[in-house]
Amino acid sequence: MEEKIYLASPHMSDEGYEMQYIQEAFETNWISPLGKNVDEFENEISAKVGSQAAAALSSGTAAIHLALKAAGVGEGDIVFCPTLTFSATANPIIYQNATPVFIDSDYETWNMSLKALEKAFEKYPTVKAVIVVHLYGLSADMDKIMGICKKHNAVLIEDAAESLGAYYKGKHTGTFGDYGVFSFNGNKIITTSGGGMLISGNEEKIAKVRFWATQARDSARHYQHSELGYNYRMSNVVAGIGRGQLKVLDQRIQKKKYIFEFYKRELGDLEGVQFMPVNEWNEPNYWLSCIMLRGKVKPHDIMEALEKENIESRPIWKPMHMQPFFAEYDFIGTGVSEKLFENGVCLPSDTKMTDDELKRVTNIIKRLWSV
Ligand SMILES: *Cc1c(COP(=O)(O)O)cnc(C)c1O
């Protein structure tokens, strides 16, 4: 069996930056959810993306949860959420006892449909917050989405878990809304093994988030609590991995783009193959290279052929409104996300892949068109 090719796996720096920061944490004995790596990782992310303030947290999911809390989302509130996403976008809405309303995608962006969003506002004018996702590192159409949200006075949260390093009209994704969320889970473009970051232009809100994330301890000697707290802070060891990874983010994006362009060159002319939409205002991070199939070859055929050769690939996220757990909630749209789910494939996008390995992948796929 040939060596396994992954969809996207951790890729530490050749220089060993991550270990240097971990070493420092050990030498200074800051093996805790606070310390220099945590502070510096927050500063470095803020500087990189151009945000006012950042809070390093234990996961992207925790960041979405505390963004909702900071936005004042609570029991009975309605939150608009893209249906085409990972469940981590939607779960925190339930943690806050709020009600998600799922919004469809469009083919132009694969992200939140403007038409569906406007229709949702007509139906639920009192909505508290809107979460927008930049799927697979492709930005949503932020100018239009922000315009609609402003008109209705809704708080905007950007789930940029998949889009670190991706820009919309030259501005970093995650910095448009009231809050932005990044994830450093193992499969993301850079990883800390697990972790997340909440960014905002509102420093007071970020200070409040750090407070909630450390058990909401009031400043008193005797462990005083006047609010519900969480244990959501990022560890100083983990933050060291993040600081090292951040140094190679641009390299990773370059390689991800190279992979996307390789696939486009090799597979772009196959009948019925359509690549994920890169719009003129979009500067993606190409986290995953995804295609949609409109011909006789189906996603299942590709995934099975690759799996036989020890190569990992995945379907597009299964929409939330099709999930048993979320089936009871309202969905606004015309079914574009269902079509993307049925016909889409995420191709192996691991940045450690060699040209020979990329060739291996494209040869297997091309064979399906020649039978
Ligand atoms: C990965 C991911 C998250 C969750 O991040 P974690 O750090 O794994 O909690 C949220 N939203 C999207 C779209 C993601 O891909």
Side-chain angles (χ1 to χ4, degrees):
M1 186 67 101
E2 294 222 52
E3 198 159 337
K4 175 147 181 150
I5 298 176
Y6 290 94
L7 187 73
S9 69
H11 187 174
M12 296 297 115
S13 67
D14 293 335
E15 295 84 353
Y17 297 130
E18 298 85 356
M19 279 310 286
Q20 290 167 25
Y21 290 119
I22 291 173
Q23 193 75 33
E24 195 181 307
F26 272 69
E27 278 161 9
T28 54
N29 203 35
W30 285 98
I31 314 294
S32 56
L34 76 166
K36 184 178 162 193
N37 282 336
V38 174
D39 296 342
E40 289 301 319
F41 190 35
E42 289 177 347
N43 293 336
E44 287 158 7
I45 285 280
S46 288
K48 176 80 192 169
V49 306
S51 81
Q52 211 65 31
L57 301 170
S58 53
S59 69
T61 310
I64 295 169
H65 185 186
L66 294 187
L68 288 167
K69 192 173 161 76
V73 170
E75 180 136 24
D77 287 331
I78 287 168
V79 177
F80 293 160
C81 175
T83 190
L84 191 66
T85 185
F86 180 47
S87 65
T89 313
N91 283 333
I93 302 170
I94 309 293
Y95 301 166
Q96 283 304 98
N97 296 312
T99 305
V101 170
F102 294 112
I103 313 287
D104 211 351
S105 302
D106 59 32
Y107 287 121
E108 290 73 33
T109 64
W110 287 19
N111 283 306
M112 193 178 260
S113 150
L114 304 170
K115 265 195 215 126
L117 180 62
E118 274 176 333
K119 218 163 126 192
F121 271 115
E122 277 165 32
K123 191 163 176 190
Y124 301 98
T126 59
V127 60
K128 192 87 170 209
V130 176
I131 306 179
V132 61
V133 175
H134 305 293
L135 209 67
Y136 302 123
L138 295 170
S139 72
D141 194 351
M142 288 316 291
D143 279 351
K144 305 232 173 74
I145 287 172
M146 284 202 306
I148 298 170
C149 288
K150 280 222 175 81
K151 202 166 76 192
H152 293 89
N153 264 323
V155 179
L156 182 59
I157 298 168
E158 285 178 84
D159 178 350
E162 302 177 0
S163 71
L164 185 64
Y167 292 79
Y168 171 84
K169 297 186 180 172
K171 189 168 150 67
H172 201 288
T173 53
T175 63
F176 290 86
D178 299 279
Y179 302 96
V181 169
F182 299 115
S183 165
F184 310 106
N185 201 349
N187 59 352
K188 297 301 193 301
I189 192 153
I190 61 169
T191 181
T192 61
S193 71
M197 190 78 75
L198 181 64
I199 62 164
S200 175
N202 187 332
E203 288 183 52
E204 268 171 53
K205 289 282 192 183
I206 290 294
K208 190 81 196 196
V209 161
R210 289 199 194 99
F211 167 77
W212 288 325
T214 47
Q215 309 286 19
R217 279 174 63 179
D218 296 341
S219 52
R221 199 194 292 276
H222 52 267
Y223 292 95
Q224 172 99 354
H225 303 276
S226 25
E227 285 189 62
L228 176 64
Y230 300 84
N231 185 3
Y232 274 176
R233 206 64 166 120
M234 181 182 278
S235 140
N236 193 52
V237 178
V238 153
I241 308 176
R243 294 183 71 191
Q245 283 272 279
L246 199 52
K247 288 186 190 289
V248 294
L249 172 62
D250 291 343
Q251 276 177 48
R252 296 292 173 267
I253 294 169
Q254 255 177 30
K255 181 62 187 269
K256 293 277 193 190
K257 186 172 184 185
Y258 177 86
I259 292 168
F260 179 80
E261 284 170 353
F262 191 103
Y263 284 141
K264 206 156 182 184
R265 221 167 34 241
E266 293 290 321
L267 308 174
D269 293 334
L270 294 174
E271 203 201 320
V273 170
Q274 217 174 312
F275 275 76
M276 61 190 195
V278 177
N279 292 291
E280 80 280 358
W281 37 257
N282 204 335
E283 216 180 301
N285 67 2
Y286 300 94
W287 174 52
L288 295 183
S289 286
C290 306
I291 55 174
M292 192 171 54
L293 301 168
R294 291 185 182 275
K296 64 178 198 307
V297 175
K298 299 294 173 203
H300 177 79
D301 303 323
I302 290 184
M303 290 186 282
E304 203 176 62
L306 291 175
E307 194 177 333
K308 274 196 196 131
E309 308 274 344
N310 209 18
I311 301 170
E312 190 184 20
S313 62
R314 288 282 168 86
I316 299 287
W317 298 121
K318 180 171 179 176
M320 290 304 111
H321 73 276
M322 297 171 75
Q323 302 288 354
F325 180 74
F326 290 111
E328 66 184 280
Y329 300 104
D330 202 2
F331 162 65
I332 313 281
T334 51
V336 171
S337 56
E338 289 168 31
K339 289 277 184 294
L340 288 169
F341 168 59
E342 274 166 38
N343 301 311
V345 193
C346 307
L347 299 173
S349 308
D350 197 79
T351 48
K352 293 187 293 313
M353 267 194 285
T354 61
D355 278 10
D356 282 348
E357 287 174 319
L358 281 165
K359 262 265 174 260
R360 236 178 92 198
V361 174
T362 54
N363 285 341
I364 293 165
I365 294 173
K366 281 196 259 187
R367 243 181 272 142
L368 295 168
W369 265 261
S370 57
V371 289

